[in-house]
Amino acid sequence: MKFIHTADWQIGKVFKRFGGKEETLQLARLEAIETLGQLATDENARHVLVAGDVYDSEAPGEITLRAPLERMRQFPNITWHLLPGNHDPHRPEGIWDRILSAGLPSNIHLCLESKPVEIEPAVFLLPSPLLRKSEIRDVTEWMDDAATPVGAIRIGLAHGAVIGFGTEGEASNKIDPARQRLATLDYLALGDWHRTLQIGAGTWYSGTPEPDRAGSQEEGRALVVEVYGHGNPPQVREAPTGRFRWITREFDLVDGSELEDIEARLRALPQLSKTILRLRLKGTTSLAARAGFSDKETNLTAALFSLEADLNDLEVRPTDADLESIDFDGVLRLAADRLQSQAEDATLSGDARHIAQEALTQLYITVTSMTKAA
Amino acid sequence: MEITALSIEGVGRFVNAEILGFGPNVNVLAAGNEVGKSTIFRAVRAVLFKRHGANDQDVRILETDGSKLPVTISLSFSHEGSNFEIRKSFLRNAKSSLSKDGKEIARDRTADEMLWEILGIAPGGGKSVDDAAFGVLWVGQRSSFELPVPSGNAAMMINALIEAEVGALVGGERAREVLRRMDDQISTQLTAGGKVQSNSPLGEVTRLRDGLIDQVSAVQARLITLDSQFQALETLRAERAIASDPSVLATGTEELKIAQESLSLGEGAARNLASLQQSEKHALTLLQTAERHLEDHNSLTAEIVAARAREAILIGEIQDLDLRYKFAQDELDVTRKAAAEINLQTREIALEMTLLDEIEKRVKGETELKVISNRLDVLKHTSVRFLALQARLTTLKVTQSDLTTLEKIEREIDLLEARVDAGATHYRLEILDSGTDQISLNDIPIQSLAEGAIIEPLRFRVGDKAVLTLSPPENFGVSEIARQDKLRSSFTEALNACGVKTLDEARGQFAQRLDVERQIAAIEAELQVLGEARDSLGETINDLQRMITAAHLSAELHSEQTKDEPLPSSIEFETRRSTAQSRRNANDLERQRLEGLSSAQTETLQTIITRRGPKEGELAAIRTTLASKLVQLPDDTCADTRLSLEEHLQIARSAYKSETEKRTAEQLSTPDHEEIIRRRLRVERLEQAQRNQHTRLGDLERQISNLEGHIQAAGGDGIGEELASLEQLAAMAARDADRIEQRLRVAQLLRTAVKDALDEGRERYQAPIHKHLHPYLNDLFPGATIELGEGFEVIGLKRAGPSSEAIGRLSDGTQEQIAVLVRLAMGALLAERGQIVPIILDDALVYSDDERIQRMFDSLTRAGTRQQVIVLTCRTRAFSTLGGTTLSIAH
């Protein structure tokens, strides 16, 4: 028995901060479904198990609701098993009833009840749909007593956080990490954790097929799972599915001279135009390097799909040369010296010191631009 | 530099003149108008700053009218230990010669330029030069109140001197550029008052953020509603499942059937019992009727006996009351006859009293009429006077304010005329005997003497032989004459408004107005003594006239009633009134006694009647009752009737006992009333429960249907995506607003830092000037400081308050004094650093009052201790206390 394990599509997620590029990111999430369908076809897998959070919201618009269904309809030989998660719980007249009313393609199976479903002869799917955003009880507990014929393969499908493992997902729906053993499952397909992760011998989080945030899964993945019979350990293999990479890079500067090297290293990243980078600069930098970073930031922004530079923890510490660039003496040098004193004054608030640093940087940029213009 | 001698030839009125008496300190040339002081000042400027070949206005104005001589000026001065003489001839035979210590060292162009080099003056564009420090320290006529603004070279010279002492103000220009850029940045976001501009990026993003936050709240509320609808729908569906359970419905129906049967059995038994109870009740009624008949018979027998006894007692009491009534009636008749006699006498006395009252009113009315008539005459006379004075007052329009305005305008005109006259050239023409009727001024013949100021072109005609036109300098006194014309126009308008032609006429009218107002005040005082108000005088007169008319009518009425009665003397009147009152009092006492007696007798009769009536009524009633009872129970059938009634009673008692026994037996097997009610309530309860269940099911279906509709509609709207979008947009707008605000704070902080540094630098830079300005300023404005701008221009004066006063808001006199003081300070600064330049003031301090001008003299004297000060003035008396060296002109 071979199938694809995926989760957390979160169709309809908005990316407003990307402005005009939002649609591209939303489209990529839909294209990931086609990638999954092609993967299943290539792997000769007849089932795709989606472990929750197909949609980002339980009240999407009609187009958002139907767009993934239409993508799945394009693969009639594959059965897609969709499980309600904490983003799209199954509630009366909710999103799943709307899907049913809209007309469900025959190759899509909605897992709306906690009861065994025979998806292949002697292969039973034990789904645990979420009926609300947050469940206090462990919704997979019923699997322990779920009866299936002797020798049948038992595959669990659930969405939540494994107890004791910590949680990165939004749901507080806890799942016993021993569920696979307690319910004699041959495989437990989990969703909610946006990273591909193995919890136990046959318990996996598949991660999302298309990442949607920085500081989490960098590349989209799905799992190709093969179960050889009840009681045998499954064989699990990761497969890339994502289009965009969401990466975070952090650099600790000493004097800002490292920025040249950092720019070069970032330029060397693969597929820059499909990379969303969160760049965090810490430590200290000279005024000249800080002023020069704006130009580098512009270049990188042009090269990348998106760049978010976080300089809040980067302290500007002017060198003598910086200050002399403003002036050797006189009015502007006096103003610069005072701004530097404020920036270093421990009795001032962090915010006030930061503003003083920025004012000093602004003075440097203004004066040097005036000098260039002259 | 120190001027030591000056001679001029062919300059203005000077054919050949020399200025004598130059000294190193304060020099004063005090002379009247037209002596040529300003010409001397212009000559000094020309010889120093003009090339000898110059032919511009500054040079041509020096030329003597009609003269063919060149304009020649020779100036001697000492400079840095040497004695120099520069001599230049302009316009004709132009040349220049410079001598040092008596030896010529240069001629012509070389002399011109060498002189400038010695004095530190840069060559100009060929015709004139930048006069450097001289431009600051030499103040021409009418220029003393202009604030000094050093020229390029002067400012450069002052800057060089200051920088030699305190160093340069480095980066000032770039700092100002930074300030300008920060101001540009700040002004795109904030108004001048520091508020966010509504159409600025910050204003727009703030509005966008707030709007998005509101939208997020609204959508969140909708989402919360949707969430609660999801939960409510789940609850309702669970309720519907319970309410529509068939086993529950069947149990309810069975319980209702059992309760209905139990109720039916109970109600049948209760109906039987009720029938037996009715029969028992009927038997009891018959028994009670028999008992009552027997009791009625016994009562009637006793009542007949009692009525006969009471009848006999009442007959005796009525006979006694009849006898007492007849005696009392006789006594009352006697009393009434006596009362009739007394009433006759009372009417006679009343007629006498009425006649006396009318006589008294007639006398009083005639007295009041005389008083009112007198007051009316006085008030009418006063009213006529008052109206006449008011009419007079309206013709006198000139008020104190008008008079003050007219006198003020006249004073201003006089002042302006005097000022123009003082500044103008004067002429004096005496006609000799042979010239009589030969000479006219502006076509008006002059008889013997004509003199005055030339403030407008004057045309003297000498018969048909010559015409001489004297004109004032161009633009001379234009502003003063225009001001005079304006004031005269205002003066004429003010006179017309008052309806007079001259100021004296206005004064006369105003005096008359004061006299009329005094007379009106006197009348008002008289009215106050009379207790009358001026405004209600007419009304009072009308009231008094109405009162006189009424008094006449009243008098006529009283006279009609007493016309046959001669008016008695007061003694006779009082005697008649006293007699009548005594008779009336005696009569009143007797009448009161008889009335009391009559009342008592009447009351006695009434008492008898009152007591007799009830007894009469009671006797009639007893007789009627007795007759009626005897009809019911005649004396002869009384015993037989009693026996029959006792037999009926016995039969009724037996029947009642039988009915009671039957009812008691049935009652033991019948449920009581409360039990029946309980069974009925149970049936009703179960029926209601069934109906409620049906209703509840219907309600649930409707609610579920409604909720499903709402949820489907909300879900289809894409509210989840909408909320996520709005939240992200709101967060972005908030970040944008924070970013702009931070940029703004950065610009503001940078601006403050640069401005503070610039202010401090400027303060340090200007310190030398302030140091030299301080003693001069202290002479006039103790404790004050002057605020200088970048190019040393005067911006304001700072005295007691925290902020400085803008220079333009100060009085003309103060502005002029400050302007001169700043020049003195600059002169002191230059002198201290070896740039000793004379200070020349031509006709300065014209707006200073007596106290200030003395203090200015102190300052000039102080300046004279450092360098040469030359003061040219026409105010010989005012400047007599300046002291110093007196200059004179030798022709």
Side-chain angles (χ1 to χ4, degrees):
Chain A
M1 169 65 184
K2 196 174 188 179
F3 59 89
I4 305 298
H5 171 197
T6 180
D8 299 295
W9 294 357
Q10 295 192 202
I11 302 299
K13 189 175 182 71
V14 291
F15 300 93
K16 290 295 172 193
R17 74 180 175 87
F18 294 92
K21 296 177 178 177
E22 178 189 28
E23 196 176 340
T24 306
L25 293 175
Q26 289 178 321
L27 193 59
R29 307 192 75 71
L30 288 171
E31 288 172 351
I33 300 172
E34 294 169 340
T35 305
L36 288 167
Q38 192 57 49
L39 175 65
T41 304
D42 295 345
E43 292 288 344
N44 202 22
R46 297 189 55 238
H47 297 274
V48 176
L49 309 188
V50 188
D53 284 356
V54 174
Y55 295 95
D56 188 58
S57 149
E58 64 178 323
E62 281 304 319
I63 300 297
T64 305
L65 184 79
R66 299 186 194 203
L69 305 179
E70 293 304 323
R71 298 301 192 284
M72 289 182 270
R73 194 198 293 271
Q74 293 169 19
F75 298 91
N77 298 323
I78 296 168
T79 304
W80 303 75
H81 302 274
L82 309 185
L83 181 78
N86 63 304
H87 276 251
D88 50 3
H90 173 41
R91 304 209 267 194
E93 298 304 321
I95 182 170
W96 300 101
D97 285 344
R98 285 174 60 199
I99 291 171
L100 290 170
S101 300
L104 195 63
S106 59
N107 62 330
I108 296 177
H109 166 232
L110 303 186
C111 303
L112 304 183
E113 291 182 275
S114 296
K115 66 179 185 184
V117 180
E118 189 172 19
I119 60 174
E120 290 284 343
V123 178
F124 283 82
L125 182 64
L126 281 64
S128 293
L130 286 179
L131 305 184
R132 49 190 61 82
K133 288 178 182 292
S134 177
E135 290 279 7
I136 297 170
R137 64 190 178 90
D138 182 348
V139 294
T140 63
E141 203 171 273
W142 72 277
M143 295 179 183
D144 296 358
D145 302 321
T148 54
V150 177
I153 293 173
R154 291 160 63 88
I155 300 168
L157 182 62
H159 185 90
V162 169
I163 298 167
F165 179 67
T167 179
E168 186 186 72
E170 301 89 342
S172 58
N173 307 291
K174 302 296 183 187
I175 295 171
D176 191 335
R179 182 61 60 212
Q180 186 203 356
R181 178 177 55 76
L182 295 172
T184 62
L185 300 173
D186 296 297
Y187 184 80
L188 176 56
L190 295 176
D192 188 35
W193 183 256
H194 286 221
R195 287 178 198 267
T196 306
L197 193 69
Q198 183 177 14
I199 301 298
T203 303
W204 282 77
Y205 280 100
S206 64
T208 178
E210 182 67 37
D212 59 359
R213 68 193 71 167
S216 186
Q217 184 176 343
E218 289 193 352
E219 293 176 294
R221 285 199 182 87
L223 297 175
V224 182
V225 183
E226 196 159 7
V227 181
Y228 298 101
H230 182 55
N232 295 316
Q235 196 173 65
V236 180
R237 177 161 48 84
E238 295 181 26
T241 54
R243 179 176 166 195
F244 288 94
R245 299 174 69 227
W246 293 65
I247 63 175
T248 300
R249 295 292 182 267
E250 185 174 301
F251 299 97
D252 202 347
L253 308 185
V254 175
D255 58 8
S257 61
E258 307 89 333
L259 285 170
E260 292 291 339
D261 180 51
I262 290 169
E263 184 187 13
R265 286 162 63 186
L266 293 175
R267 284 183 181 284
L269 288 170
Q271 290 189 303
L272 278 181
S273 64
K274 291 180 181 171
T275 299
I276 294 153
L277 172 64
R278 177 192 282 176
L279 176 62
R280 187 162 179 234
L281 299 179
K282 300 195 300 182
T284 55
T285 179
S286 67
L287 261 176
R290 170 67 183 84
F293 176 71
S294 298
D295 195 40
K296 294 178 173 55
E297 186 180 10
T298 306
N299 287 338
L300 287 170
T301 301
L304 292 158
F305 183 81
S306 172
L307 170 66
E308 179 191 346
D310 177 2
L311 277 63
N312 286 329
D313 293 329
L314 182 63
E315 183 183 348
V316 176
R317 193 170 293 166
T319 63
D320 290 345
D322 288 337
L323 295 174
E324 284 170 6
S325 295
I326 292 172
D327 212 336
F328 285 94
D329 195 2
V331 176
L332 292 178
R333 179 57 182 267
L334 177 60
D337 289 342
R338 287 181 175 170
L339 289 172
Q340 188 184 3
S341 296
Q342 287 183 41
E344 294 171 353
D345 188 349
T347 61
L348 296 178
S349 68
D351 178 57
R353 292 203 301 274
H354 179 68
I355 294 296
Q357 276 186 25
E358 290 296 310
L360 185 55
T361 307
Q362 181 64 52
L363 177 58
Y364 179 87
I365 293 169
T366 305
V367 171
T368 50
S369 72
M370 283 161 47
T371 305
K372 282 179 189 169
Chain B
M1 177 193 186
E2 179 187 324
I3 296 173
T4 54
L6 173 67
S7 60
I8 49 181
E9 295 174 27
V11 175
R13 63 170 53 223
F14 300 109
V15 176
N16 189 340
E18 188 176 357
I19 314 304
L20 303 174
F22 283 107
N25 307 116
V26 175
N27 298 268
V28 183
L29 176 55
N33 294 322
E34 295 299 303
V35 171
K37 299 183 297 298
S38 298
T39 304
I40 293 169
F41 179 75
R42 285 195 285 268
V44 173
R45 288 186 66 89
V47 77
L48 287 177
F49 308 135
K50 294 292 177 182
R51 292 179 184 276
H52 66 279
N55 188 19
D56 58 18
Q57 178 64 21
D58 290 343
V59 173
R60 285 200 300 274
I61 199 170
L62 295 172
E63 190 180 14
T64 302
D65 290 339
S67 171
K68 298 189 182 325
L69 291 172
V71 172
T72 303
I73 306 163
S74 175
L75 178 74
S76 297
F77 60 94
S78 61
H79 183 67
E80 296 179 345
S82 298
N83 294 314
F84 295 89
E85 181 186 2
I86 178 72
R87 183 180 180 83
K88 290 185 182 177
S89 295
F90 297 98
L91 301 176
R92 298 178 188 85
N93 193 18
K95 59 186 176 183
S96 174
S97 171
L98 177 64
S99 299
K100 180 180 179 183
D101 295 329
K103 186 179 177 184
E104 185 179 54
I105 57 173
R107 285 185 180 177
D108 298 335
R109 179 173 179 173
T110 309
D112 293 345
E113 294 179 356
M114 187 177 289
L115 173 65
W116 296 336
E117 190 178 334
I118 290 168
L119 296 179
I121 302 170
K127 292 183 178 178
S128 64
V129 295
D130 184 329
D131 46 15
F134 299 89
V136 177
L137 303 184
W138 291 15
V139 186
Q141 199 174 38
R142 298 190 203 96
S143 302
S144 58
F145 48 86
E146 291 174 2
L147 294 164
V149 180
S151 64
N153 278 336
M156 201 184 303
M157 179 185 291
I158 294 171
N159 283 333
L161 294 173
I162 289 173
E163 285 169 13
E165 180 176 332
V166 300
L169 180 61
V170 177
E173 191 55 41
R174 290 197 301 154
R176 279 187 287 280
E177 175 60 18
V178 172
L179 281 179
R180 189 188 62 72
R181 293 188 183 196
M182 293 306 107
D183 284 340
D184 287 348
Q185 272 192 37
I186 293 166
S187 65
T188 58
Q189 307 291 354
L190 301 181
T191 63
K195 293 184 175 173
V196 176
Q197 291 189 42
S198 62
N199 60 349
S200 68
L202 180 57
E204 286 174 358
V205 79
T206 305
R207 266 198 311 282
L208 175 65
R209 178 196 62 196
D210 295 344
L212 285 166
I213 288 171
D214 290 345
Q215 288 182 52
V216 166
S217 298
V219 176
Q220 276 176 338
R222 282 167 55 202
L223 206 58
I224 288 168
T225 303
L226 179 62
D227 199 61
S228 65
Q229 285 171 341
F230 274 131
Q231 293 172 15
L233 183 58
E234 198 174 342
T235 306
L236 289 172
R237 283 185 171 177
E239 268 190 61
R240 183 177 63 180
I242 295 169
S244 59
D245 186 343
S247 63
V248 174
L249 291 173
T251 303
T253 305
E254 183 62 23
E255 282 180 359
L256 177 59
K257 186 180 174 189
I258 293 169
Q260 285 170 335
E261 287 174 358
S262 172
L263 175 62
S264 179
L265 288 172
E267 284 178 339
R271 279 194 295 276
N272 286 340
L273 178 61
S275 175
L276 290 172
Q277 283 173 335
Q278 193 62 35
S279 299
E280 182 189 17
K281 189 178 176 183
H282 180 67
L284 178 62
T285 304
L286 291 176
L287 172 60
Q288 288 169 341
T289 303
E291 287 174 343
R292 196 172 59 251
H293 284 172
L294 182 57
E295 285 172 6
D296 290 347
H297 174 81
N298 292 340
S299 297
L300 189 58
T301 303
E303 287 169 3
I304 290 171
V305 171
R308 281 174 172 156
R310 180 63 184 161
E311 182 183 27
I313 291 168
L314 287 172
I315 289 171
E317 287 177 350
I318 287 170
Q319 287 173 345
D320 179 51
L321 286 172
D322 287 344
L323 286 174
R324 287 170 62 191
Y325 182 85
K326 185 173 183 310
F327 178 72
Q329 183 66 52
D330 291 344
E331 286 185 332
L332 180 59
D333 289 344
V334 171
T335 302
R336 282 176 174 164
K337 281 181 186 170
E341 182 61 28
I342 288 298
N343 285 339
L344 190 61
Q345 292 177 14
T346 299
R347 277 195 295 278
E348 290 174 359
I349 294 166
L351 286 173
E352 172 68 2
M353 290 298 286
T354 302
L355 186 59
L356 288 173
D357 287 345
E358 290 301 323
I359 290 169
E360 185 180 26
K361 287 176 184 171
R362 184 175 158 194
V363 170
K364 189 177 175 185
E366 287 177 357
T367 304
E368 284 179 354
L369 188 57
K370 285 176 185 168
V371 172
I372 293 168
S373 297
N374 287 338
R375 187 175 184 88
L376 180 61
D377 291 343
V378 170
L379 292 180
K380 276 181 175 175
H381 178 66
T382 304
S383 175
V384 168
R385 282 168 59 211
F386 179 73
L387 291 173
L389 286 171
Q390 274 195 322
R392 172 66 180 146
L393 191 60
T394 56
T395 63
L396 301 171
K397 293 180 182 175
V398 181
T399 63
Q400 180 66 58
S401 169
D402 297 332
L403 198 57
T404 303
T405 304
L406 286 167
E407 288 174 340
K408 186 180 174 188
I409 296 171
E410 189 187 52
R411 275 198 302 278
E412 284 188 47
I413 292 169
D414 291 345
L415 192 62
L416 284 168
E417 283 177 345
R419 191 176 295 166
V420 172
D421 192 67
T425 304
H426 284 70
Y427 68 93
R428 179 182 174 86
L429 179 66
E430 291 181 29
I431 308 299
L432 302 179
D433 291 344
S434 61
T436 304
D437 297 333
Q438 296 293 312
I439 301 171
S440 65
L441 170 58
N442 291 344
D443 300 328
I444 300 170
I446 301 170
Q447 297 305 320
S448 58
L449 173 67
E451 62 181 349
I454 306 172
I455 59 175
E456 58 185 357
L458 301 177
R459 195 159 168 270
F460 293 88
R461 177 183 289 275
V462 183
D464 54 356
K465 293 184 175 61
V467 174
L468 170 65
T469 301
L470 297 181
S471 299
E474 189 177 357
N475 294 329
F476 171 75
V478 171
S479 63
E480 287 86 351
I481 292 168
R483 174 70 183 152
Q484 280 180 43
D485 292 343
K486 193 174 177 186
L487 285 170
R488 282 192 183 103
S489 174
S490 301
F491 189 72
T492 306
E493 284 174 11
L495 286 173
N496 291 339
C498 294
V500 297
K501 293 177 179 172
T502 64
L503 179 60
D504 287 341
E505 188 182 344
R507 285 186 181 120
Q509 264 206 20
F510 181 65
Q512 289 176 39
R513 181 183 181 90
L514 287 178
D515 184 49
V516 171
E517 283 176 346
R518 272 194 300 276
Q519 289 184 53
I520 288 173
I523 290 175
E524 285 176 338
E526 285 174 26
L527 287 171
Q528 196 171 9
V529 170
L530 290 171
E532 295 294 342
R534 190 183 74 186
D535 297 338
S536 60
L537 193 57
E539 194 178 338
T540 305
I541 290 171
N542 290 337
D543 287 346
L544 288 174
Q545 283 174 337
R546 279 196 295 273
M547 286 168 70
I548 289 169
T549 305
H552 278 305
L553 286 173
S554 177
E556 284 173 10
L557 182 65
H558 294 312
S559 300
E560 182 67 24
Q561 289 174 347
T562 60
K563 62 184 179 184
D564 298 332
E565 189 69 26
L567 291 179
S569 68
S570 60
I571 294 172
E572 287 171 347
F573 180 80
E574 288 303 325
T575 303
R576 278 179 66 179
R577 170 170 277 187
S578 176
T579 304
Q581 282 177 339
S582 298
R583 286 179 61 202
R584 187 175 64 184
N585 292 342
N587 236 338
D588 287 345
L589 287 173
E590 179 59 15
R591 191 176 68 249
Q592 284 170 9
R593 188 188 69 77
L594 289 172
E595 283 173 355
L597 184 60
S598 173
S599 295
Q601 289 166 342
T602 305
E603 190 175 347
T604 301
L605 282 172
Q606 190 62 40
T607 302
I608 293 167
I609 292 167
T610 303
R611 289 176 61 189
R612 188 181 184 283
K615 292 182 187 299
E616 190 77 28
E618 187 183 0
L619 179 60
I622 284 173
R623 283 173 175 166
T624 305
T625 302
L626 188 59
S628 169
K629 292 184 187 302
L630 286 173
V631 170
Q632 292 175 44
L633 186 60
D635 292 339
D636 51 353
T637 62
C638 182
D640 293 342
T641 302
R642 178 178 178 83
L643 286 175
S644 172
L645 289 172
E646 286 174 348
E647 190 178 339
H648 274 100
L649 179 59
Q650 194 54 43
I651 293 166
R653 276 182 180 147
S654 298
Y656 175 66
K657 187 180 176 185
S658 168
E659 290 298 330
T660 300
E661 286 169 355
K662 283 194 278 185
R663 190 265 305 157
T664 303
E666 182 65 22
Q667 198 166 20
L668 290 174
S669 62
T670 302
D672 64 13
H673 180 63
E674 290 303 321
E675 172 61 15
I676 300 289
I677 290 174
R678 188 190 65 76
R679 291 179 188 182
R680 186 177 298 122
L681 288 174
R682 184 172 208 178
V683 168
E684 289 172 358
R685 175 172 62 77
L686 291 170
E687 287 173 345
Q688 186 62 45
Q690 277 202 338
R691 282 197 300 276
N692 287 347
Q693 197 167 19
H694 289 131
T695 305
R696 178 62 184 152
L697 269 172
D699 286 346
L700 284 170
E701 292 295 347
R702 276 193 298 279
Q703 289 180 34
I704 286 167
S705 176
N706 283 339
L707 277 173
E708 285 173 353
H710 285 307
I711 290 169
Q712 285 165 8
D717 285 346
I719 187 173
E721 287 172 284
E722 186 183 356
L723 177 60
S725 297
L726 288 172
E727 284 176 339
Q728 287 193 10
L729 288 172
M732 285 167 60
R735 278 197 299 275
D736 287 347
D738 289 346
R739 201 159 38 238
I740 295 173
E741 282 175 351
Q742 178 171 317
R743 281 210 301 271
L744 187 59
R745 287 174 61 199
V746 166
Q748 287 172 321
L749 177 61
L750 178 53
R751 187 191 184 287
T752 302
V754 173
K755 185 171 187 310
D756 289 349
L758 185 62
D759 287 347
E760 287 176 27
R762 189 161 55 204
E763 193 176 332
R764 180 173 53 82
Y765 193 75
Q766 293 175 346
I769 288 190
H770 283 295
K771 186 181 84 177
H772 288 288
L773 186 56
H774 175 73
Y776 294 113
L777 206 55
N778 199 50
D779 287 341
L780 259 77
F781 308 105
T785 55
I786 294 287
E787 190 180 350
L788 296 175
E790 296 286 335
F792 306 108
E793 71 276 16
V794 180
I795 294 174
L797 176 67
K798 196 173 195 179
R799 288 194 270 203
S803 56
S804 61
E805 302 163 76
I807 198 74
R809 299 178 72 87
L810 299 173
S811 71
D812 289 346
T814 304
Q815 285 190 48
E816 185 195 25
Q817 290 144 20
I818 287 172
V820 171
L821 292 180
V822 172
R823 292 175 196 276
L824 294 181
M826 289 179 174
L829 175 72
L830 294 167
E832 189 179 75
R833 286 150 183 82
Q835 298 288 329
I836 300 174
V837 176
I839 296 170
I840 302 180
L841 302 176
D842 183 8
D843 226 359
L845 306 176
V846 293
Y847 295 124
S848 295
D849 61 28
D850 293 345
E851 173 60 23
R852 288 273 178 88
I853 204 164
Q854 291 303 321
R855 290 175 181 272
M856 285 302 298
F857 289 167
D858 293 341
S859 290
L860 290 173
T861 305
R862 183 192 297 278
T865 62
R866 293 176 181 275
Q867 62 211 108
Q868 192 178 33
V869 176
I870 300 169
V871 177
L872 311 176
T873 181
C874 62
R875 299 170 63 196
T876 52
R877 197 185 312 163
F879 278 63
S880 63
T881 57
L882 175 56
T885 305
T886 302
L887 300 178
S888 58
I889 304 171
H891 292 273

